[in-house]
């Protein structure tokens, strides 16, 4: 999520978007998964959808479809998520 520390304020100011930045397990300040656990992009997609579900039920401001993008490995994860949940992600 630290990759967006500089970019997110500009996005918010220019578009009015609300930014939610996620550090996947083992990245940034997130804890690593237990040893011998595989880091699988599809698991990250599930996490994104679970977060989107939690936000959608907490407040009506989290309308769908939502904008999703990522940096580096997160870009690939965002692409897989958008392909699998095209009706929810723009």
């Amino acid at each position: 999520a630290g990759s967006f520390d500089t970019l997110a304020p500009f996005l918010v100011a220019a578009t009015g978007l609300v930014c939610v930045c996620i550090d996947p397990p083992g990245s940034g300040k997130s804890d690593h998964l237990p040893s011998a656990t595989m880091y699988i992009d599809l698991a990250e997609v599930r996490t994104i959808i679970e977060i989107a579900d939690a936000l959608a039920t907490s407040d009506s401001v989290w309308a769908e479809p939502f904008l999703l993008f990522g940096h580096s490995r997160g870009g690939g994860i965002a692409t897989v998520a958008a392909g699998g949940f095209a009706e929810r992600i723009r």
Side-chain angles (χ1 to χ4, degrees):
S3 298
F4 294 101
D5 286 350
T6 304
L7 178 61
F10 290 105
L11 287 172
V12 171
T15 65
L17 293 172
V18 176
C19 292
V20 176
C21 300
I22 304 166
D23 272 333
S27 300
K29 295 181 180 179
S30 295
D31 293 335
H32 288 272
L33 296 172
S35 63
T37 303
M38 295 180 64
Y39 290 86
I40 300 172
D41 290 352
L42 289 176
E44 306 299 341
V45 169
R46 183 181 62 225
T47 300
I48 290 167
I49 297 303
E50 288 172 352
I51 291 168
D53 289 344
L55 291 171
T57 58
S58 70
D59 193 332
S60 62
V61 73
W62 300 101
E64 290 191 12
F66 60 91
L67 180 64
L68 175 66
F69 61 96
H71 166 73
S72 191
R73 178 173 171 245
I77 293 167
T79 301
V80 172
F85 296 89
E87 70 286 354
R88 298 185 66 183
I89 300 170
R90 61 183 175 111

